[in-house]
Amino acid sequence: MAEPREVGPQSTDTADEPKGAQGQTRTGRDSIESGHRSSERSQGSTKSLSLSGSVFEQVTENNRAYVNESYIIPCDEQEQTRLAITHQCFTSILNDQLSFQSIPRGAKRILDIGTGTGDWAIAVAERFPDAEVVATDIACFQPTDIVPPNVFFEIDDAQEEWTFTDLFDFIHLRALSGAFRDWRSIYKEAFKHLQPNGILEVADFGFARMAESVPDSYLSIYNGACITAAGQAGIALGLEHMKRPLLEEAGFRIAKTRTFDVPLGTWMADPRKKVAGKMALISTLEGLEATSLRLLTQHTGWKAEDVRDVCGKVQEELMRPDIRPSIPCQFTVARKLMI
């Protein structure tokens, strides 16, 4: 199996990084002030969170919290920890850079769709203190205390029409496999809200795999079950959403794309690859249940205990260095060319 390929250091403008300032939280369709969480109450399996007048529901299923009745990925503390590790994994793959494509030196507006815990948006805002960084998600669990003053978190559903009034120089989408039913619509909105010559970067992980395919492995059973359930749910997992025609149909010109074979674990000799592999393994192990629990119980009739049992067996397989597990990580950069 080929070793993970490396990306050389990128040229990014770094400056004195402001820290300790109060960031802002707002919504694309409702105004909320400074991300202040004004109330929190729980009743039954639903918890209402109010952020200065903007209320969303957290639904509890099988001891995991979700942002609504349909989104398959949890939004609880366990998932937030996994997202933070995943962010570190991406930066390790990119030699401590934040993007595969260098963000333009003069970028004034940067958009992060599906920001999650906000790690990427905060890091970019620190490196580009003169740029306005807007980060959106359907849930608000980003930090609101010590963040750069130029980052703005917004509660917004990217599947609806985007309502930004000013265009962006760089739009970033990462680790959103399975998030949207209609990626064509997402890419069309991104194209519409980019400046001429603006850049879109999409990054994601595919399915974990072994060096040699084992048809009756628990990993193959898990992957097959998730693909089947995703089809029934009308969503795409893996790297399906990064296919070239989807982006070109929206008007983009593909600038470059690259897929890395990232080891899962520390079985490679290269010290840097060991670091990336360790974080990728942790993220993958924690992501097994996060990706499959609601998907399989809602769409294929699996019982929660059966999902967790299979996830546990897959974890045991992936922790065996003799099978040399890995996971593909793809980066695609597209441009909105001037007309």
Side-chain angles (χ1 to χ4, degrees):
M1 183 180 66
E3 292 190 354
R5 293 166 287 176
E6 301 179 7
V7 179
Q10 297 170 224
S11 172
T12 57
D13 263 15
T14 58
D16 293 336
E17 300 182 355
K19 296 183 180 180
Q22 177 78 25
Q24 300 184 47
T25 305
R26 58 197 185 191
T27 66
R29 293 171 176 80
D30 301 291
S31 176
I32 57 179
E33 302 173 359
S34 301
H36 176 64
R37 181 166 293 181
S38 59
S39 69
E40 183 172 331
R41 62 186 183 277
S42 60
Q43 181 177 0
S45 62
T46 302
K47 179 168 66 175
S48 297
L49 298 179
S50 175
L51 294 92
S52 301
S54 179
V55 179
F56 63 93
E57 303 293 331
Q58 282 190 321
V59 180
T60 300
E61 289 179 10
N62 301 309
N63 296 319
R64 298 301 299 266
Y66 298 86
V67 69
N68 56 31
E69 297 286 352
S70 59
Y71 191 63
I72 66 168
I73 304 297
C75 62
D76 48 26
E77 185 175 350
Q78 182 177 342
E79 175 62 8
Q80 293 171 40
T81 300
R82 185 187 74 86
L83 291 176
I85 295 171
T86 302
H87 170 71
Q88 296 175 31
C89 183
F90 274 109
T91 56
S92 179
I93 293 169
L94 293 176
N95 290 339
D96 296 324
Q97 300 301 315
L98 296 173
S99 57
F100 183 61
Q101 172 67 40
S102 296
I103 298 175
R105 174 180 299 180
K108 295 301 181 185
R109 281 173 57 79
I110 299 169
L111 175 62
D112 185 28
I113 295 292
T115 192
T117 50
D119 294 286
W120 187 88
I122 291 171
V124 167
E126 290 176 339
R127 292 197 185 185
F128 293 85
D130 294 329
E132 180 180 281
V133 180
V134 179
T136 72
D137 206 295
I138 57 173
C140 184
F141 45 78
Q142 302 82 29
T144 56
D145 45 8
I146 304 178
V147 298
N150 58 319
V151 63
F152 301 89
F153 294 112
E154 298 188 357
I155 301 174
D156 210 356
D157 187 347
Q159 297 181 101
E160 299 179 12
E161 182 181 5
W162 297 9
T163 58
F164 305 108
T165 55
D166 297 320
L167 300 179
F168 294 92
D169 301 293
F170 191 95
I171 297 180
H172 179 255
L173 295 96
R174 189 182 72 180
L176 292 175
S177 173
F180 308 126
R181 293 180 181 274
D182 187 1
W183 275 93
R184 285 181 172 85
S185 175
I186 298 296
Y187 291 144
K188 287 179 181 178
E189 290 293 330
F191 187 85
K192 184 166 62 176
H193 288 84
L194 269 176
Q195 294 275 11
N197 284 331
I199 299 170
L200 170 71
E201 179 166 309
V202 188
D204 224 318
F205 287 105
F207 288 100
R209 57 199 181 193
M210 301 177 183
E212 296 181 5
S213 177
V214 181
D216 58 349
S217 68
Y218 285 105
L219 178 61
S220 65
I221 294 171
Y222 172 89
N223 286 345
C226 286
I227 292 171
T228 299
Q232 295 178 3
I235 58 177
L237 294 180
L239 302 173
E240 289 295 309
H241 62 291
M242 297 179 68
K243 288 184 174 179
R244 189 184 194 101
L246 291 176
L247 289 144
E248 292 179 337
E249 183 181 314
F252 284 105
R253 177 72 60 86
I254 304 299
K256 56 185 174 181
T257 183
R258 189 168 183 179
T259 302
F260 298 86
D261 235 338
V262 182
L264 292 177
T266 58
W267 55 269
M268 280 196 166
D270 187 301
R272 193 176 60 80
K273 293 172 185 175
K274 283 181 179 290
V275 174
K278 181 177 181 179
M279 290 185 290
L281 177 63
I282 296 171
S283 176
T284 300
L285 296 181
E286 290 297 319
L288 294 172
E289 180 183 305
T291 300
S292 65
L293 185 58
R294 174 176 262 192
L295 188 63
L296 295 180
T297 55
Q298 280 196 356
H299 298 284
T300 59
W302 283 44
K303 294 181 179 179
E305 55 267 31
D306 294 331
V307 176
R308 290 190 165 107
D309 180 64
V310 169
C311 288
K313 289 181 168 62
V314 175
Q315 288 178 338
E316 293 176 2
E317 287 182 339
L318 293 179
M319 292 177 69
R320 289 171 46 193
D322 59 297
I323 68 168
R324 293 179 295 157
S326 64
I327 192 167
C329 180
Q330 182 174 325
F331 295 85
T332 295
V333 178
R335 285 185 178 273
K336 177 181 179 178
L337 297 183
M338 292 185 66
I339 299 175

PDB file of all heavy atoms in Angstrom, residues 221-222 225 293 296-304 306-307 310:
ATOM      1  N   ILE A 221     -18.641  -5.065   6.761  1.00  0.00           N
ATOM      2  CA  ILE A 221     -20.057  -5.109   7.137  1.00  0.00           C
ATOM      3  C   ILE A 221     -20.546  -3.717   7.521  1.00  0.00           C
ATOM      4  O   ILE A 221     -21.609  -3.264   7.093  1.00  0.00           O
ATOM      5  CB  ILE A 221     -20.277  -6.105   8.304  1.00  0.00           C
ATOM      6  CG1 ILE A 221     -19.984  -7.531   7.843  1.00  0.00           C
ATOM      7  CG2 ILE A 221     -21.692  -5.984   8.860  1.00  0.00           C
ATOM      8  CD1 ILE A 221     -19.966  -8.545   8.976  1.00  0.00           C
ATOM      9  N   TYR A 222     -19.743  -3.036   8.327  1.00  0.00           N
ATOM     10  CA  TYR A 222     -20.100  -1.677   8.771  1.00  0.00           C
ATOM     11  C   TYR A 222     -20.208  -0.728   7.591  1.00  0.00           C
ATOM     12  O   TYR A 222     -21.207  -0.011   7.444  1.00  0.00           O
ATOM     13  CB  TYR A 222     -19.047  -1.180   9.763  1.00  0.00           C
ATOM     14  CG  TYR A 222     -19.192   0.280  10.139  1.00  0.00           C
ATOM     15  CD1 TYR A 222     -19.983   0.664  11.214  1.00  0.00           C
ATOM     16  CD2 TYR A 222     -18.519   1.271   9.415  1.00  0.00           C
ATOM     17  CE1 TYR A 222     -20.115   1.994  11.558  1.00  0.00           C
ATOM     18  CE2 TYR A 222     -18.644   2.611   9.754  1.00  0.00           C
ATOM     19  CZ  TYR A 222     -19.446   2.970  10.832  1.00  0.00           C
ATOM     20  OH  TYR A 222     -19.585   4.290  11.153  1.00  0.00           O
ATOM     21  N   ALA A 225     -23.293  -1.505   5.444  1.00  0.00           N
ATOM     22  CA  ALA A 225     -24.545  -1.131   6.098  1.00  0.00           C
ATOM     23  C   ALA A 225     -24.756   0.378   6.060  1.00  0.00           C
ATOM     24  O   ALA A 225     -25.873   0.868   5.818  1.00  0.00           O
ATOM     25  CB  ALA A 225     -24.549  -1.625   7.545  1.00  0.00           C
ATOM     26  N   LEU A 293     -25.024   5.456  14.249  1.00  0.00           N
ATOM     27  CA  LEU A 293     -26.059   5.115  15.232  1.00  0.00           C
ATOM     28  C   LEU A 293     -27.447   5.554  14.783  1.00  0.00           C
ATOM     29  O   LEU A 293     -28.373   4.734  14.673  1.00  0.00           O
ATOM     30  CB  LEU A 293     -25.720   5.727  16.588  1.00  0.00           C
ATOM     31  CG  LEU A 293     -26.670   5.347  17.730  1.00  0.00           C
ATOM     32  CD1 LEU A 293     -26.730   3.839  17.921  1.00  0.00           C
ATOM     33  CD2 LEU A 293     -26.240   6.033  19.030  1.00  0.00           C
ATOM     34  N   LEU A 296     -28.382   3.984  11.082  1.00  0.00           N
ATOM     35  CA  LEU A 296     -28.792   2.581  11.006  1.00  0.00           C
ATOM     36  C   LEU A 296     -30.073   2.309  11.783  1.00  0.00           C
ATOM     37  O   LEU A 296     -30.889   1.480  11.366  1.00  0.00           O
ATOM     38  CB  LEU A 296     -27.663   1.672  11.504  1.00  0.00           C
ATOM     39  CG  LEU A 296     -26.378   1.669  10.665  1.00  0.00           C
ATOM     40  CD1 LEU A 296     -25.345   0.717  11.261  1.00  0.00           C
ATOM     41  CD2 LEU A 296     -26.676   1.292   9.222  1.00  0.00           C
ATOM     42  N   THR A 297     -30.266   2.976  12.913  1.00  0.00           N
ATOM     43  CA  THR A 297     -31.490   2.729  13.687  1.00  0.00           C
ATOM     44  C   THR A 297     -32.719   3.335  13.015  1.00  0.00           C
ATOM     45  O   THR A 297     -33.806   2.762  13.071  1.00  0.00           O
ATOM     46  CB  THR A 297     -31.362   3.274  15.116  1.00  0.00           C
ATOM     47  OG1 THR A 297     -31.018   4.668  15.075  1.00  0.00           O
ATOM     48  CG2 THR A 297     -30.302   2.507  15.900  1.00  0.00           C
ATOM     49  N   GLN A 298     -32.551   4.475  12.356  1.00  0.00           N
ATOM     50  CA  GLN A 298     -33.701   5.123  11.720  1.00  0.00           C
ATOM     51  C   GLN A 298     -34.035   4.558  10.346  1.00  0.00           C
ATOM     52  O   GLN A 298     -35.192   4.504   9.961  1.00  0.00           O
ATOM     53  CB  GLN A 298     -33.453   6.632  11.577  1.00  0.00           C
ATOM     54  CG  GLN A 298     -33.694   7.430  12.843  1.00  0.00           C
ATOM     55  CD  GLN A 298     -33.818   8.928  12.562  1.00  0.00           C
ATOM     56  OE1 GLN A 298     -33.657   9.380  11.426  1.00  0.00           O
ATOM     57  NE2 GLN A 298     -34.107   9.691  13.595  1.00  0.00           N
ATOM     58  N   HIS A 299     -33.032   4.126   9.604  1.00  0.00           N
ATOM     59  CA  HIS A 299     -33.265   3.809   8.193  1.00  0.00           C
ATOM     60  C   HIS A 299     -33.125   2.341   7.825  1.00  0.00           C
ATOM     61  O   HIS A 299     -33.536   1.951   6.729  1.00  0.00           O
ATOM     62  CB  HIS A 299     -32.332   4.652   7.327  1.00  0.00           C
ATOM     63  CG  HIS A 299     -32.562   6.120   7.453  1.00  0.00           C
ATOM     64  ND1 HIS A 299     -33.622   6.768   6.854  1.00  0.00           N
ATOM     65  CD2 HIS A 299     -31.880   7.075   8.148  1.00  0.00           C
ATOM     66  CE1 HIS A 299     -33.584   8.054   7.155  1.00  0.00           C
ATOM     67  NE2 HIS A 299     -32.537   8.273   7.933  1.00  0.00           N
ATOM     68  N   THR A 300     -32.538   1.531   8.685  1.00  0.00           N
ATOM     69  CA  THR A 300     -32.440   0.104   8.365  1.00  0.00           C
ATOM     70  C   THR A 300     -32.957  -0.792   9.484  1.00  0.00           C
ATOM     71  O   THR A 300     -32.864  -2.012   9.378  1.00  0.00           O
ATOM     72  CB  THR A 300     -30.982  -0.291   8.040  1.00  0.00           C
ATOM     73  OG1 THR A 300     -30.146   0.007   9.160  1.00  0.00           O
ATOM     74  CG2 THR A 300     -30.483   0.461   6.816  1.00  0.00           C
ATOM     75  N   GLY A 301     -33.475  -0.198  10.551  1.00  0.00           N
ATOM     76  CA  GLY A 301     -34.109  -0.987  11.604  1.00  0.00           C
ATOM     77  C   GLY A 301     -33.167  -1.675  12.564  1.00  0.00           C
ATOM     78  O   GLY A 301     -33.578  -2.551  13.327  1.00  0.00           O
ATOM     79  N   TRP A 302     -31.892  -1.310  12.557  1.00  0.00           N
ATOM     80  CA  TRP A 302     -30.964  -1.891  13.520  1.00  0.00           C
ATOM     81  C   TRP A 302     -31.328  -1.431  14.929  1.00  0.00           C
ATOM     82  O   TRP A 302     -31.838  -0.331  15.129  1.00  0.00           O
ATOM     83  CB  TRP A 302     -29.536  -1.445  13.222  1.00  0.00           C
ATOM     84  CG  TRP A 302     -28.867  -2.140  12.075  1.00  0.00           C
ATOM     85  CD1 TRP A 302     -29.402  -2.432  10.857  1.00  0.00           C
ATOM     86  CD2 TRP A 302     -27.512  -2.604  12.040  1.00  0.00           C
ATOM     87  NE1 TRP A 302     -28.472  -3.029  10.054  1.00  0.00           N
ATOM     88  CE2 TRP A 302     -27.291  -3.150  10.750  1.00  0.00           C
ATOM     89  CE3 TRP A 302     -26.469  -2.585  12.947  1.00  0.00           C
ATOM     90  CZ2 TRP A 302     -26.071  -3.694  10.365  1.00  0.00           C
ATOM     91  CZ3 TRP A 302     -25.242  -3.119  12.562  1.00  0.00           C
ATOM     92  CH2 TRP A 302     -25.055  -3.671  11.295  1.00  0.00           C
ATOM     93  N   LYS A 303     -31.041  -2.265  15.902  1.00  0.00           N
ATOM     94  CA  LYS A 303     -31.170  -1.860  17.295  1.00  0.00           C
ATOM     95  C   LYS A 303     -29.883  -1.149  17.718  1.00  0.00           C
ATOM     96  O   LYS A 303     -28.796  -1.468  17.227  1.00  0.00           O
ATOM     97  CB  LYS A 303     -31.413  -3.072  18.185  1.00  0.00           C
ATOM     98  CG  LYS A 303     -32.743  -3.759  17.923  1.00  0.00           C
ATOM     99  CD  LYS A 303     -32.929  -4.948  18.862  1.00  0.00           C
ATOM    100  CE  LYS A 303     -34.267  -5.631  18.622  1.00  0.00           C
ATOM    101  NZ  LYS A 303     -34.462  -6.807  19.521  1.00  0.00           N
ATOM    102  N   ALA A 304     -30.027  -0.213  18.634  1.00  0.00           N
ATOM    103  CA  ALA A 304     -28.869   0.571  19.070  1.00  0.00           C
ATOM    104  C   ALA A 304     -27.759  -0.319  19.618  1.00  0.00           C
ATOM    105  O   ALA A 304     -26.572  -0.092  19.337  1.00  0.00           O
ATOM    106  CB  ALA A 304     -29.295   1.591  20.119  1.00  0.00           C
ATOM    107  N   ASP A 306     -27.051  -3.312  18.753  1.00  0.00           N
ATOM    108  CA  ASP A 306     -26.390  -4.019  17.657  1.00  0.00           C
ATOM    109  C   ASP A 306     -25.413  -3.097  16.925  1.00  0.00           C
ATOM    110  O   ASP A 306     -24.331  -3.526  16.509  1.00  0.00           O
ATOM    111  CB  ASP A 306     -27.430  -4.566  16.675  1.00  0.00           C
ATOM    112  CG  ASP A 306     -28.294  -5.661  17.308  1.00  0.00           C
ATOM    113  OD1 ASP A 306     -27.789  -6.352  18.211  1.00  0.00           O
ATOM    114  OD2 ASP A 306     -29.456  -5.807  16.898  1.00  0.00           O
ATOM    115  N   VAL A 307     -25.810  -1.830  16.755  1.00  0.00           N
ATOM    116  CA  VAL A 307     -24.917  -0.857  16.127  1.00  0.00           C
ATOM    117  C   VAL A 307     -23.648  -0.707  16.960  1.00  0.00           C
ATOM    118  O   VAL A 307     -22.529  -0.750  16.435  1.00  0.00           O
ATOM    119  CB  VAL A 307     -25.608   0.507  15.963  1.00  0.00           C
ATOM    120  CG1 VAL A 307     -24.630   1.536  15.388  1.00  0.00           C
ATOM    121  CG2 VAL A 307     -26.835   0.397  15.068  1.00  0.00           C
ATOM    122  N   VAL A 310     -21.314  -3.789  16.681  1.00  0.00           N
ATOM    123  CA  VAL A 310     -20.525  -3.827  15.457  1.00  0.00           C
ATOM    124  C   VAL A 310     -19.431  -2.759  15.495  1.00  0.00           C
ATOM    125  O   VAL A 310     -18.283  -3.014  15.093  1.00  0.00           O
ATOM    126  CB  VAL A 310     -21.427  -3.633  14.219  1.00  0.00           C
ATOM    127  CG1 VAL A 310     -20.580  -3.394  12.966  1.00  0.00           C
ATOM    128  CG2 VAL A 310     -22.305  -4.850  14.019  1.00  0.00           C
TER     129      VAL A 310
END
